[in-house]
Amino acid sequence: MIKRLIFYILAIFILGFGIVLNTKAGLGVGSINTLPYALSRITPLSLGMATTLMYFVFVAGQTAIYRKIDAKVLLQIPFSYVMGVVIDFYDNLMDFRAETLPLSFLLLAAAIVCTAFGAYVTVTMDFIPNPADGMARAVGVAFHKEFGQGKLIFDCVMISVTAAVSLIFAHKIIGIGIGTVLSALFIGKLIQFYGRKFGGYMNGVVEKSRNNDNSKYRG
């Protein structure tokens, strides 16, 4: 249980690092993060606070779609707050932006690697789901689609909303660019790669943790 929890917490920090590093590249952020990034640029909200508020909306959206109060969905509320704090920590720590195109692509590549790894471990450890993934799954349920198709619909909606909000309030597109496209193309593939590379070990950690918990419960 302890090892599983440590992996989960580390993954949250890695995921937050990847999200913030993506914004420093200046090439466009991942589709899920486009809206909080745009809001942080056109309102007094910090990137972390905007992310937390968006995640709260996702929790409410899941509850509305499922038409019931689910414990795993409600636990996403403290997760949202923690993720917002982590993102603001890194955003304040990394007070810079890429000045050259090669550096921008280098930062983007590192961000994609970290984001994919953080997402992979948080999902594999199976504690509290990321509100964005939970919302994507709920969208799939609402449209009677698989998770992958639900995520595609959700990503398209997020990008469309971001474009509309940024054009209305800033009169330009914010947060959407080649980095958005590359993130969509490679994060999923990297998650699959991590699954093949580390799946046996990570699944072993989870299984051992569950067996220990069951033993304590029986005892």
Side-chain angles (χ1 to χ4, degrees):
M1 178 66 171
I2 298 299
K3 182 183 286 189
R4 184 177 161 205
L5 181 60
I6 290 172
F7 274 125
Y8 182 78
I9 293 172
L10 287 175
I12 289 176
F13 277 90
I14 294 171
L15 178 61
F17 179 76
I19 289 171
V20 173
L21 195 61
N22 197 333
T23 68
K24 305 303 179 180
L27 297 172
V29 298
S31 56
I32 298 299
N33 303 311
T34 52
L35 184 56
Y37 178 73
L39 290 175
S40 72
R41 297 290 299 275
I42 61 181
T43 72
L45 292 172
S46 66
L47 180 60
M49 181 57 70
T51 301
T52 296
L53 293 176
M54 184 185 71
Y55 281 176
F56 285 169
V57 173
F58 291 166
V59 171
Q62 291 172 72
T63 302
I65 289 173
Y66 295 135
R67 297 181 182 179
K68 66 177 182 179
I69 297 176
D70 185 272
K72 271 204 168 185
V73 173
L74 291 181
L75 284 172
Q76 293 172 23
I77 294 175
F79 176 96
S80 303
Y81 176 76
V82 171
M83 181 57 73
V85 171
V86 170
I87 287 174
D88 274 344
F89 168 76
Y90 283 124
D91 198 32
N92 292 327
L93 184 67
M94 297 187 286
D95 188 19
F96 66 88
R97 295 201 180 274
E99 300 290 339
T100 64
L101 197 58
L103 180 58
S104 292
F105 277 103
L106 181 63
L107 291 179
L108 177 63
I112 290 173
V113 169
C114 291
T115 301
F117 188 73
Y120 164 70
V121 177
T122 54
V123 170
T124 305
M125 292 300 103
D126 194 28
F127 273 115
I128 304 171
N130 185 314
D133 291 333
M135 189 63 194
R137 191 177 300 279
V139 169
V141 170
F143 287 94
H144 307 289
K145 302 290 186 181
E146 297 176 352
F147 173 71
Q149 293 174 307
K151 189 174 186 332
L152 178 61
I153 295 170
F154 184 52
D155 287 350
C156 291
V157 169
M158 289 298 297
I159 292 173
S160 299
V161 171
T162 301
V165 168
S166 57
L167 284 172
I168 291 171
F169 293 101
H171 309 296
K172 62 179 180 179
I173 298 292
I174 299 174
I176 302 171
I178 185 64
T180 309
V181 176
L182 292 175
S183 294
L185 287 175
F186 289 106
I187 286 178
K189 293 183 184 298
L190 274 172
I191 289 175
Q192 291 177 341
F193 168 77
Y194 292 138
R196 293 193 299 268
K197 190 75 174 175
F198 307 111
Y201 176 75
M202 291 296 182
N203 291 332
V205 170
V206 174
E207 191 62 30
K208 185 176 180 181
S209 172
R210 287 174 176 165
N211 289 339
N212 289 339
D213 290 345
N214 290 335
S215 296
K216 290 177 183 177
Y217 178 76
R218 287 194 298 268

